[in-house]
Amino acid sequence: IKMKEWDNMNLKNKVALVTSATRGIGFASALKLAENGAIVYMGVRRLEATQEIVDKYPNLKMIPVFFDAYKEDSYKAMVETVIEKEGRLDILVNNFGTSTPAKDRDLVNTEEEYFFDTIKANLGTVYSISKLAVPHMIKNGGGSIVNISSIGGVVPDISRIGYGVSKAAVNNITQQIAMQYAKDNVRCNAVLPGLTATDAAIDNMPEDFRKSFLSHVPLNRMGTPEDMANSVLF
C-alpha cells in the first residue's frame, strides 16, 4: 500500500488510546491517528504539559489522560476514563518502553533486579493494558492493538539484554493476543523500529556510533518517529 493510500484512511468516530504519548514515536502516532479523524487519548504523566502541546492542534481531537507505567492503578483508571467519556475503545497503541543503557548490559554485568524490572515494565504494561482493553473491543465488535516493540526483540545484541528479552516477550504476546481474539475481530500487531531519531535515542548516542551504524543502512539515515507512526496508522 502506498503512503498516500495510508494517509487517506478514515478513522472518523474511532477512539484511540496511545500510552507515553508526549514525545517521540508515541506523540507521532497520536498525532497521525488524530490527523486521520480519530479521537485520541494520550496516556501521559504530565497532564498540563501535554495539554500545552495539544493546544497547538486546535482542529484535532487529542485528550491527555493520566498514565504512569510504574503505577499500575493508573492503567485501569486510564482505560475507564476513556470508556466513561466515549463509551468505546477501538484502537490501543502500547508505546511505553524503557531502557537505561548504562545499566542494561550483557548477562553477567546487568544487575538481576534491573533485568526483571525492565521485563516487568515493558511487558507488564502491554499485558495489563491490553487485558483491560480487549473486553471493550469485543463489545464494540472488534478493535486493533498495536504494540511498539523493537528490532532488538528479534536480533540479539552485545548489550541491553533486559530490553531485548522484554521486547521478544512483547513480540510473543502480540502473536498470542492476535491468535486468541481473531475470532472476535480484535487484531494485534507489533511495530519493530530499528535505530530511530527520537530525542531519547539521540541524547544517548555517541556521534561515532551513529556514523558507524548508518554505514550499514542503505537509506543512510535513521528512522523517524513519523516513519513508525505511518506503520501504526497502517
Side-chain angles (χ1 to χ4, degrees):
I1 295 180
K2 296 179 181 179
M3 188 65 70
K4 288 184 178 179
E5 293 174 341
W6 292 9
D7 291 341
N8 288 334
M9 287 183 176
N10 188 353
L11 298 180
K12 187 176 181 181
N13 297 325
K14 297 293 186 181
V15 177
L17 171 61
V18 182
T19 63
S20 296
T22 305
R23 57 194 292 188
I25 294 171
F27 178 73
S29 298
L31 183 60
K32 182 68 66 172
L33 295 173
E35 287 174 341
N36 283 267
I39 301 170
V40 182
Y41 282 78
M42 303 164 69
V44 297
R45 284 188 300 170
R46 299 177 298 154
L47 293 173
E48 292 183 3
T50 305
Q51 187 61 55
E52 290 179 5
I53 297 171
V54 168
D55 288 342
K56 298 177 182 178
Y57 304 90
N59 296 324
L60 301 179
K61 296 178 180 178
M62 301 168 70
I63 306 159
V65 59
F66 182 72
F67 162 70
D68 186 333
Y70 299 100
K71 295 181 179 178
E72 296 180 23
D73 289 346
S74 73
Y75 305 175
K76 185 176 181 180
M78 175 178 63
V79 173
E80 287 181 348
T81 296
V82 175
I83 298 301
E84 287 171 6
K85 292 187 176 181
E86 306 298 337
R88 61 187 297 126
L89 177 58
D90 303 287
I91 301 163
L92 169 63
V93 181
N94 284 308
N95 172 65
F96 174 81
T98 185
S99 175
T100 305
K103 294 182 178 181
D104 198 1
R105 302 166 69 186
D106 59 17
L107 174 68
V108 174
N109 294 299
T110 299
E111 292 184 7
E112 191 168 322
E113 183 178 3
Y114 175 82
F115 176 82
F116 286 110
D117 284 348
T118 301
I119 292 176
K120 179 172 176 55
N122 290 347
L123 174 62
T125 50
V126 173
Y127 167 83
S128 297
I129 300 171
S130 297
K131 187 172 185 177
L132 292 165
V134 164
H136 296 291
M137 291 181 174
I138 293 174
K139 187 176 179 180
N140 295 344
S144 176
I145 298 173
V146 183
N147 298 323
I148 306 300
S149 182
S150 169
I151 193 66
V154 176
V155 180
D157 202 343
I158 59 173
S159 64
R160 301 184 79 191
I161 188 170
Y163 186 77
V165 171
S166 70
K167 290 301 187 178
V170 168
N171 294 342
N172 185 269
I173 198 172
T174 298
Q175 295 174 310
Q176 297 275 4
I177 293 170
M179 178 71 75
Q180 292 169 10
Y181 297 100
K183 67 183 185 302
D184 299 301
N185 199 32
V186 174
R187 296 178 296 110
C188 190
N189 293 281
V191 175
L192 280 62
L195 189 61
T196 305
T198 62
D199 292 341
I202 292 172
D203 290 345
N204 288 288
M205 189 183 307
E207 181 67 16
D208 57 348
F209 171 81
R210 188 182 69 83
K211 289 181 179 179
S212 174
F213 187 92
L214 290 180
S215 68
H216 301 282
V217 179
L219 286 177
N220 195 38
R221 71 169 178 84
M222 296 171 67
T224 67
E226 186 176 19
D227 290 331
M228 308 314 154
N230 283 329
S231 296
V232 171
L233 175 63
F234 171 68

